[in-house]
Structures are given as structure tokens and as C-alpha cells.
Amino acid sequence: MASKTIPRALRLSSRVAVPRRTFVSAVRARPSAATASVSHAPAAVSARGIKTIDFAGTKETVYERADWPRDKLQSYFKNDTLALIGYGSQGHGQGLNLRDNGLNVIIGVRKDGASWKEAIQDGWVPGKNLFDVETAINKGTIIMNLLSDAAQSETWPQVKPLLTKGKTLYFSHGFSPVFKDLTKVDVPTDIDVILVAPKGSGRTVRSLFREGRGINSSIAVFQDVTGKAKEKAVAMGVAVGSGYLYETTFEKEVYSDLYGERGCLMGGIHGMFLAQYEVLRERGHSPSEAFNETVEEATQSLYPLIGANGMDWMYAACSTTARRGAIDWSPKFKDALKPVFDELYTSVKTGKETQRSLEYNSQPDYRERYEKELEEIRNLEIWRAGKAVRSLRPENQK
Ligand SMILES: NC(=O)c1ccc[n+]([C@@H]2O[C@H](COP(=O)([O-])OP(=O)(O)OC[C@H]3O[C@@H](n4cnc5c(N)ncnc54)[C@H](OP(=O)(O)O)[C@@H]3O)[C@@H](O)[C@H]2O)c1
């Protein structure tokens, strides 16, 4: 597609019912009767904050925070001390949200490490609500293990004996217990083990909470000793700042998460970008043209529209030339890529990806090794061209 002020593919065809929509209004548009295809909002049967929602013919249970106002959360957790271990991306977001919800939350991190210092900057006070890991676990009733996944495995021999009967163990990723043969995280059999996995970075967990909204999260129960594990998972999900909670299992959460980030979220999409860019360059196109046609138009114009309205809307909203070609080529890409996705899922499920991740991320020089790889990516022509293209965006012009 040509990359003009308004990309050609975005010039709305006469068949779209909103032909005079500007690009900006199109981006902001929600699926509605005004769009070319009718949007089918999921039918919801609601019982207080619990909804059974029909997702394309499959009914799923979704919990929402409406059922857990702040005073109810405070009353539910009035006898609990939430000991949040690790203060990285998730620790920061979930910890501050718990504190703002008026719950009794303490932080446990390595004394004088980077997280310790960051926690102090965020107003946590040593000896009051900031402790070393062991002290925090001893004081806590709900132990939120938000160390990095590699660190969860590394510290397990010290952490496990502290998880005494009556405590609850909380994760934000199924990684450690699901792949216990590799991580060695074999949870004690006499405690509840629950999961709340926000579908976004800890920074988003925090910013959405501050905006009065909530992030979508998955919840799951690995082990229910008290008979209250699911209720606790839902309450914890709301308490850390979720808006909607989707029920899953530890296994499905970790499989889909590892698969997605290696696929369409990052690895796969980077591979597609590189393949398309390289062919354009080999066929004589300039770096700016190759970048604009591969990345800039995708991320700045089309992907937000697909996110807001769906693929059918996108096809309907582009020129008939773009629509014909895109619909024709989509199955070819699907057929070429599906075996790769299949191989990827198997690699996730068998633990191969976990093994690779644990081995790599527990090397003493893993940060330097990553930096070297990232430097190589930064120096690829496509991303150097991208830097120049981004500098020309109106918002980056002084
Ligand atoms: N990041 C996300 O977007 C995201 C989203 C959903 C779920 N999750 C899950 O949430 C959990 C936490 O992830 P995260 O990204 O927040 O982690 P992270 O930013 O990598 O946090 C690392 C934390 O682990 C501590 N740590 C590292 N090695 C340690 C060791 N050997 N001993 C003691 N502490 C150590 C660090 O403390 P120091 O500063 O002292 O090194 C830091 O507080 C993971 O299970 C992850 O899969 C993450």
C-alpha cells in the first residue's frame, strides 16, 4: 500500500457506510452499525459481577470487579498480610494498586538491590512494609511470588520451607509450577496455590488502575486445599487492579503466553517484518519505502484499526485493490506459517522453551548477552531506517 498522508488502503471504499470518516475518527471508531460489517457484541448473562459470555459460540465465565468494591476487598482480606516478593514490573504495579486499595501489603526483596531502592522511592518503608524476602514470607499469609521466572526457580530451595500450612501461594505466571520438572518448583501439597496473570506489563496494570479502569487478567487455581482458592483468586485479581478476570488453568495460561510472545506478539511478527523488508530491498526499493510499507503503515494506521474494529472491517475499509489481494494472499500465508506455529506450540508444551529460557536467563552474564543481541537488532537496516522514519512523524517534529 502506498504510504501517503492517508494510506491508499484506508481510503474508504464507497461500500463502507461511513465514507467521510477521517483517519483519526476511524481509529477511534468502535464497531457499530456504521461500519461495513455488523458487529456482534457478545451476549452476556449476568449474575452480579459474574458473567457467562458467549465468545463466538463458546460460553465462558468472566468475573468483573463490580462485585468486589473496595470496602468488600478490605473486609475480605482484613486478616491477611499480602507479602509481595520481588519488585520488578509486576511487583511495582500490583503492589501499589494493593496499597491504594487499602490492603495490608508488604514487600520482600533483596536488601539494597535495585528493587529495594526502587521500593523506597515508591514510599515503602524498611522495617514497616519493606523487608528481606525471608522476613516478608514469614510475616505474610498470601505469598505473591513476583520474582522473575528464573529467580523463582533459583530461590525455591530457600522459599519452599517458609510456605507453611495456612498460607496461600500466588503466581502471575504458570511457568514455575507447570514446568516443575525443570524449575524444581514443587509446591507444598497443603496450601492453596492460585494465579492472577495480568495481560500486560506491570506499568499498564498501574496506569489503567490510576485511570479508574482495570487490566484484563487470567485467573486459575493450581491447588485448592481450603475450598476457597477460586474465590481468593478472583478477589486478588480485583485487588491488584484487574477489570475483567478470565478463568483458565495454570497449564493453559503458560502455554498460551509462551506461544503468543514467540508468535504474533513479537517473534513471529518480527520475522514477517524482516522477510517483507528484505524482499523489498532486494527488489530495489529504498529503505524508507520498504520500512513505510512494512512497519510504519502497519503500526501507525492499520493495526490500531484492526484492534478497534476487527479484520472484516479493515478489509471493508480499504480500497478494493488492496482488499482483493489481501483476501487472496491471506490463506497462502496461513498455510505457510501454520506448521511453524504448530512446531512452536509443541516446543512450548514439551518444556523445550522453558529449558532454553531457564538455561539462558540464569547465566551470570545474561544481561550482557542480551544487550549484544539487541545491539545487533538495533543495527539492522530496517530498524535504523525506522528510527529515521519515526523522527519525521508530526509528533516528533519540534
Ligand atoms: N513483566 C510482565 O509484563 C509480566 C506480565 C504478566 C506476568 N508476569 C509474571 O510476573 C512475574 C514477575 O515478572 P516481572 O516481569 O515483574 O519480573 P522482573 O521485572 O524480572 O522482576 C525481577 C524481580 O526479581 C528479583 N530477583 C531477580 N533475581 C533474584 C534472585 N536471585 N533473588 C532474589 N530476587 C531476585 C529482582 O530483584 P533485584 O532488583 O534485587 O534484582 C526483581 O525484584 C513473573 O512470573 C512473570 O512471568 C510478568
Side-chain angles (χ1 to χ4, degrees), residues 235-357:
M236 282 299 292
V238 175
V240 301
S242 313
Y244 287 96
L245 297 155
Y246 295 77
E247 218 172 327
T248 185
T249 63
F250 270 62
E251 286 79 8
K252 287 200 168 128
E253 188 280 332
V254 71
Y255 296 162
S256 58
D257 190 80
L258 297 182
Y259 175 77
E261 65 204 9
R262 282 155 180 73
C264 282
L265 301 181
M266 281 190 292
I269 207 73
H270 192 206
M272 283 271 284
F273 283 160
L274 293 177
Q276 172 161 318
Y277 181 91
E278 281 178 17
V279 169
L280 283 169
R281 292 287 290 130
E282 284 156 18
R283 304 291 181 116
H285 296 263
S286 68
S288 68
E289 188 163 64
F291 186 85
N292 276 326
E293 212 52 51
T294 302
V295 181
E296 190 73 352
E297 190 171 334
T299 60
Q300 302 307 297
S301 299
L302 272 69
Y303 291 176
L305 287 170
I306 296 166
N309 305 303
M311 200 67 220
D312 56 334
W313 189 97
M314 189 68 254
Y315 282 142
C318 69
S319 70
T320 51
T321 312
R323 190 188 310 163
R324 183 67 270 135
I327 292 174
D328 285 348
W329 275 86
S330 167
K332 294 189 180 124
F333 281 109
K334 193 190 102 172
D335 291 348
L337 290 170
K338 200 170 165 192
V340 182
F341 279 102
D342 219 44
E343 181 190 338
L344 168 59
Y345 194 90
T346 301
S347 184
V348 166
K349 198 169 174 187
T350 56
K352 200 170 154 198
E353 295 301 308
T354 297
Q355 188 161 17
R356 161 102 174 119
S357 168

Side-chain angles (χ1 to χ4, degrees), residues 48-50 63-77 101 103 209 219 228 230-240 242-243 245:
R48 301 198 305 169
I50 307 169
Y63 299 85
E64 64 168 323
R65 64 181 171 166
D67 209 20
W68 289 90
R70 195 168 292 186
D71 54 350
K72 184 175 167 185
L73 285 175
Q74 289 173 359
S75 158
Y76 187 80
F77 290 116
N101 271 331
L103 302 179
F209 179 84
I219 53 157
K228 294 252 160 64
K230 187 155 121 189
E231 185 183 65
K232 228 181 301 178
V234 174
M236 282 299 292
V238 175
V240 301
S242 313
L245 297 155

Side-chain angles (χ1 to χ4, degrees), residues 42-54 59-62:
V45 181
S46 176
R48 301 198 305 169
I50 307 169
K51 284 183 164 60
T52 302
I53 296 192
D54 186 336
K59 290 195 171 52
E60 297 182 43
T61 304
V62 175

Side-chain angles (χ1 to χ4, degrees), residues 86-389:
Y87 199 71
S89 168
Q90 287 299 324
H92 162 92
Q94 296 188 30
L96 293 179
N97 292 354
L98 290 169
R99 191 171 74 183
D100 286 354
N101 271 331
L103 302 179
N104 178 22
V105 53
I106 60 175
I107 306 295
V109 285
R110 285 193 282 209
K111 208 151 180 221
D112 298 324
S115 298
W116 179 272
K117 287 175 193 145
E118 203 188 320
I120 289 175
Q121 275 171 12
D122 286 346
W124 303 95
V125 180
K128 184 178 168 219
N129 50 24
L130 174 61
F131 302 95
D132 62 69
V133 172
E134 186 179 338
T135 309
I137 297 178
N138 282 331
K139 284 178 178 289
T141 56
I142 298 179
I143 314 305
M144 303 171 65
N145 195 335
L146 295 181
L147 298 173
S148 67
D149 296 308
Q152 289 179 19
S153 177
E154 221 176 298
T155 58
W156 189 245
Q158 292 83 51
V159 168
K160 187 182 174 187
L162 306 173
L163 299 171
T164 47
K165 196 167 166 40
K167 294 187 195 275
T168 297
L169 180 58
Y170 166 111
F171 290 100
S172 281
H173 198 9
F175 190 92
S176 294
V178 169
F179 292 112
K180 70 169 186 300
D181 292 347
L182 296 162
T183 63
K184 310 293 176 212
V185 177
D186 53 337
V187 297
T189 52
D190 57 352
I191 61 171
D192 288 349
V193 181
I194 59 175
L195 171 138
V196 176
K199 297 288 111 186
S201 101
R203 303 288 150 180
T204 319
V205 171
R206 182 63 180 155
S207 61
L208 287 176
F209 179 84
R210 291 186 68 149
E211 288 166 22
R213 300 190 287 152
I215 194 157
N216 287 339
S217 298
S218 297
I219 53 157
V221 171
F222 192 76
Q223 197 165 269
D224 185 6
V225 170
T226 62
K228 294 252 160 64
K230 187 155 121 189
E231 185 183 65
K232 228 181 301 178
V234 174
M236 282 299 292
V238 175
V240 301
S242 313
Y244 287 96
L245 297 155
Y246 295 77
E247 218 172 327
T248 185
T249 63
F250 270 62
E251 286 79 8
K252 287 200 168 128
E253 188 280 332
V254 71
Y255 296 162
S256 58
D257 190 80
L258 297 182
Y259 175 77
E261 65 204 9
R262 282 155 180 73
C264 282
L265 301 181
M266 281 190 292
I269 207 73
H270 192 206
M272 283 271 284
F273 283 160
L274 293 177
Q276 172 161 318
Y277 181 91
E278 281 178 17
V279 169
L280 283 169
R281 292 287 290 130
E282 284 156 18
R283 304 291 181 116
H285 296 263
S286 68
S288 68
E289 188 163 64
F291 186 85
N292 276 326
E293 212 52 51
T294 302
V295 181
E296 190 73 352
E297 190 171 334
T299 60
Q300 302 307 297
S301 299
L302 272 69
Y303 291 176
L305 287 170
I306 296 166
N309 305 303
M311 200 67 220
D312 56 334
W313 189 97
M314 189 68 254
Y315 282 142
C318 69
S319 70
T320 51
T321 312
R323 190 188 310 163
R324 183 67 270 135
I327 292 174
D328 285 348
W329 275 86
S330 167
K332 294 189 180 124
F333 281 109
K334 193 190 102 172
D335 291 348
L337 290 170
K338 200 170 165 192
V340 182
F341 279 102
D342 219 44
E343 181 190 338
L344 168 59
Y345 194 90
T346 301
S347 184
V348 166
K349 198 169 174 187
T350 56
K352 200 170 154 198
E353 295 301 308
T354 297
Q355 188 161 17
R356 161 102 174 119
S357 168
L358 285 173
E359 278 170 11
Y360 195 96
N361 297 328
S362 58
Q363 294 174 109
D365 61 344
Y366 80 96
R367 280 199 176 85
E368 294 75 25
R369 282 167 175 252
Y370 271 132
E371 186 41 41
K372 195 162 165 279
E373 282 184 90
L374 297 184
E375 184 65 10
E376 279 164 19
I377 293 169
R378 200 173 296 132
N379 283 328
L380 289 175
E381 185 193 271
I382 182 174
W383 298 115
R384 284 188 287 117
K387 198 171 171 194
V389 169

